Amino acid sequence: MKKWSLLVVAILLPTFAYLQEHDVIWMMGYSGGRGQDTFGISILNFQKDSLEIQTDQNILYGFDFANVTMCDSLGNFQFSSNGVAIYVQDTIEVEGSRGFNVNELNGYILPQGVLSFPHPRNDSTYAFFHGRKGAAIPQIIQLFYSEIDMKANEGLGEVILRMQPIVEGDTLLFGHLTAVKHANGRDWWILTQRRCSKDKNCIQNYFHRVLITPDEVKLLRQPILRSDLTETGAGQSVFTPDGTKYVGSHSIRDGIPHTVEVYDFDRCIGWLSNKRVVKIDRIPDTNDRGGGLVISANSRFAYLILHQRIIQLDLWARDIQASAISVAEYDGFEQDLGAFSFPTRFLKGQLAPDGKIYISTTNSTRYLHVIHNPNEKGLACNVEQHGIELPTFNSFSIPNHPNYRLGAWEGSPCDTLSPISSTEQIVANEVKFFPNPSTGFLQLELDEDVPISQLEVRFYSLTAQLIQSSQGQNTFDLSHFSNGIYIASVFINGQVVGREKIVVQR
């Protein structure tokens, strides 16, 4: 297969440039060249009015759990990665990408183990993250960052920044790499959780938060006290398509309920808040293990994908736990291989450009499950088991895509790409600081029924760096701040209740 055989005719009208069709081609399957039609790569193309599926027997690399297939904004294929290297043609690797990880039969066995998106710097450069597991444990022990210039090497691409260590000397969850656009619509946030093992007396957990701007890659942390995050981390983590929530599914071990954690997310400062935990009991004496999690296009419904069933959760409900409903139970269908057969239970999910959700299976089969109407409540979501038959066998894989189409948060105080007002409010609960602009002294106006003892105010730079945190007070000394614009976030009992831009001008 030549690179150009995957290209789709470019849309010439400039008005369509906003489409951001980076995810319209999916590749999955075992490598070809085995002399059997069912071994090769299945190519799913979402650019047409209906899904088109093709196969290529000449591609000599395959995909296991780790999977990225990247197009440019108009849907032209750029590269793919199975976590081992980055590929641009049948057997040609992007220059400088060999040896990212060791090939584990058909790529790297790490779900959500690779992640890529267009770099904020320009349209031809792509940011690329990949994890590396420990020798004896499945969790990530190293997280690397690379940059790919697809204009280099006569269009075959080149890794211009290779495997810069982002996280080392720590243990993260099993995959779970995911990203969301910054509120300015240009930069990106990447979140990954630290693995907190209770049997090692871990009493504090935290998120690694990586901010990608045109000029830098910055690692930040957010502590999570008394966290009940999992010990194994098997599952899937995603942002809602609108970027307002971060949701993760976790499965610890038999006998302990499945866990879904829901956080509100602030795209301005990359901050998680208002944690809610949903527990789903296991079905005794069944293979009721954890698989994945995916969110509907309208950001309302989360689908917890267990091996035996699919649970829908309403993220808009006041009581998310009470909204849980089973929308599918495994029907027993198996992939017939003659002498033996493989069950097609549920595994990992991905929201597709057509608004449907596609789910891989727990074995190497030629089927995908489909949720046809994921925006609908309950059984109206219409789960079709083994609804897509692939031309080739798929080894558990499905691409890992963030929402490339998410734009700027209109009216946000951290939109660094357009003129901003120093007193703009962005949340329903209004807060008021004065004087603003400030020469160094600042006071927060509070309702009389808000105890100051429960108050915390955090001051951030526009690039989300925490400058100062003050607890139990409503007057603040900013005399050591440089002249400029800052974000003041107001917390009561640990929850964000308001935010305002503060101008320091002396």
Side-chain angles (χ1 to χ4, degrees):
M1 179 198 75
K2 292 185 171 22
K3 176 184 177 183
W4 318 117
S5 67
L6 280 181
L7 297 184
V8 190
V9 176
I11 301 172
L12 298 179
L13 294 178
T15 53
F16 289 152
Y18 71 92
L19 290 176
Q20 302 300 311
E21 305 277 77
H22 299 285
D23 57 351
V24 296
I25 292 175
W26 294 9
M27 299 170 63
M28 58 188 74
Y30 291 89
S31 59
R34 307 187 186 198
Q36 301 179 47
D37 291 344
T38 52
F39 283 90
I41 301 300
S42 294
I43 303 168
L44 283 64
N45 190 331
F46 291 94
Q47 274 203 319
K48 305 297 178 63
D49 293 336
S50 59
L51 172 62
E52 291 187 358
I53 303 177
Q54 302 170 327
T55 184
D56 195 306
Q57 306 294 322
N58 298 317
I59 296 177
L60 300 183
Y61 59 90
F63 298 86
D64 208 299
F65 279 103
N67 187 330
V68 162
T69 313
M70 179 59 60
C71 297
D72 66 15
S73 62
L74 297 180
N76 301 314
F77 174 78
Q78 297 296 292
F79 59 84
S80 61
S81 178
N82 58 6
V84 177
I86 303 171
Y87 308 91
V88 71
Q89 288 189 7
D90 302 350
T91 58
I92 296 180
E93 300 165 357
V94 171
E95 184 176 328
S97 71
R98 175 170 295 193
F100 276 8
N101 278 310
V102 176
N103 193 353
E104 297 177 326
L105 186 61
N106 281 285
Y108 207 49
I109 305 175
L110 187 63
Q112 288 189 289
V114 290
L115 177 69
S116 186
F117 45 80
H119 199 284
R121 188 184 309 124
N122 59 60
D123 293 338
S124 65
T125 303
Y126 295 83
F128 186 91
F129 289 84
H130 78 278
R132 178 170 290 176
K133 299 176 293 184
I137 60 174
Q139 284 76 28
I140 292 178
I141 60 171
Q142 292 174 297
L143 178 63
F144 297 103
Y145 170 72
S146 302
E147 292 180 4
I148 310 162
D149 181 1
M150 288 307 299
K151 283 188 177 180
N153 198 17
E154 297 183 351
L156 295 180
E158 179 182 355
V159 176
I160 57 175
L161 183 67
R162 176 182 164 86
M163 292 183 62
Q164 299 298 301
I166 299 298
V167 177
E168 289 189 298
D170 200 355
T171 304
L172 310 181
L173 296 185
F174 187 30
H176 292 262
L177 297 182
T178 190
V180 69
K181 285 277 189 76
H182 187 280
N184 63 20
R186 179 197 64 190
D187 303 335
W188 287 85
W189 291 105
I190 299 92
L191 259 65
T192 182
Q193 299 179 33
R194 178 174 182 262
R195 177 177 178 260
C196 182
S197 181
K198 295 178 182 177
D199 61 3
K200 295 182 180 179
N201 297 319
C202 173
I203 60 175
Q204 185 182 67
N205 212 317
Y206 52 80
F207 280 87
H208 292 285
R209 300 149 54 235
V210 184
L211 176 63
I212 308 295
T213 73
D215 303 317
E216 64 178 341
V217 179
K218 180 181 295 187
L219 176 63
L220 306 165
R221 287 180 178 176
Q222 177 177 347
I224 307 171
L225 299 178
R226 298 179 297 279
S227 173
D228 58 354
L229 294 180
T230 71
E231 297 179 29
T232 65
Q236 195 169 359
S237 294
V238 292
F239 287 95
T240 53
D242 64 7
T244 62
K245 292 180 177 64
Y246 174 89
V247 189
S249 67
H250 307 282
S251 180
I252 303 176
R253 55 183 178 268
D254 293 343
I256 297 179
H258 302 284
T259 300
V260 176
E261 295 170 339
V262 183
Y263 293 87
D264 292 338
F265 185 72
D266 187 326
R267 288 202 287 147
C268 276
I269 59 175
W271 199 260
L272 298 155
S273 63
N274 190 25
K275 178 181 177 181
R276 287 140 289 174
V277 178
V278 176
K279 301 286 188 180
I280 303 295
D281 290 333
R282 297 173 185 265
I283 301 176
D285 302 321
T286 67
N287 185 16
D288 190 34
R289 298 172 183 266
L293 185 135
V294 64
I295 311 292
S296 60
N298 65 357
S299 298
R300 177 174 181 177
F301 296 109
Y303 291 88
L304 173 62
I305 303 169
L306 307 177
H307 290 183
Q308 295 285 132
R309 53 196 169 131
I310 300 175
I311 307 295
Q312 184 193 75
L313 303 171
D314 188 347
L315 300 179
W316 296 358
R318 178 170 298 180
D319 186 343
I320 300 176
Q321 178 82 56
S323 74
I325 180 175
S326 177
V327 294
E329 296 183 4
Y330 171 53
D331 62 8
F333 183 83
E334 297 185 345
Q335 173 79 65
D336 185 7
L337 299 176
F340 55 95
S341 59
F342 282 157
T344 60
R345 298 186 183 97
F346 313 118
L347 190 58
K348 302 291 180 184
Q350 175 66 46
L351 179 65
D354 61 3
K356 299 181 181 181
I357 290 172
Y358 295 82
I359 300 170
S360 61
T361 67
T362 55
N363 289 288
S364 297
T365 75
R366 293 172 54 196
Y367 292 95
L368 297 176
H369 309 289
V370 187
I371 304 180
H372 288 279
N373 304 304
N375 289 344
E376 300 299 324
K377 188 176 181 65
L379 296 178
C381 71
N382 188 14
V383 178
E384 182 183 9
Q385 300 189 41
H386 42 88
I388 298 292
E389 184 173 7
L390 301 171
T392 64
F393 284 97
N394 178 38
S395 182
F396 313 108
S397 189
I398 204 158
N400 181 27
H401 287 296
N403 182 11
Y404 305 107
R405 299 169 181 82
L406 183 60
W409 178 4
E410 294 185 7
S412 92
C414 62
D415 181 2
T416 56
L417 308 182
S418 62
I420 53 179
S421 166
S422 63
T423 58
E424 189 175 15
Q425 305 291 330
I426 66 166
V427 293
N429 296 1
E430 183 174 334
V431 296
K432 180 65 177 177
F433 289 89
F434 63 92
N436 192 9
S438 169
T439 59
F441 171 81
L442 191 67
Q443 183 167 344
L444 171 63
E445 184 176 285
L446 286 173
D447 293 335
E448 293 181 356
D449 58 349
V450 176
I452 293 183
S453 61
Q454 299 175 7
L455 179 69
E456 180 184 6
V457 177
R458 301 170 187 165
F459 295 90
Y460 297 88
S461 70
L462 288 181
T463 58
Q465 180 180 2
L466 180 63
I467 306 298
Q468 175 178 302
S469 177
S470 302
Q471 295 182 328
Q473 62 188 75
N474 66 335
T475 60
F476 312 95
D477 179 11
L478 308 184
S479 60
H480 59 292
F481 282 31
S482 301
N483 287 347
I485 300 174
Y486 299 84
I487 307 296
S489 292
V490 180
F491 295 74
I492 295 178
N493 285 330
Q495 295 190 9
V496 180
V497 297
R499 188 173 295 106
E500 185 176 0
K501 281 191 199 135
I502 304 299
V503 176
V504 175
Q505 185 175 355
R506 290 187 295 274

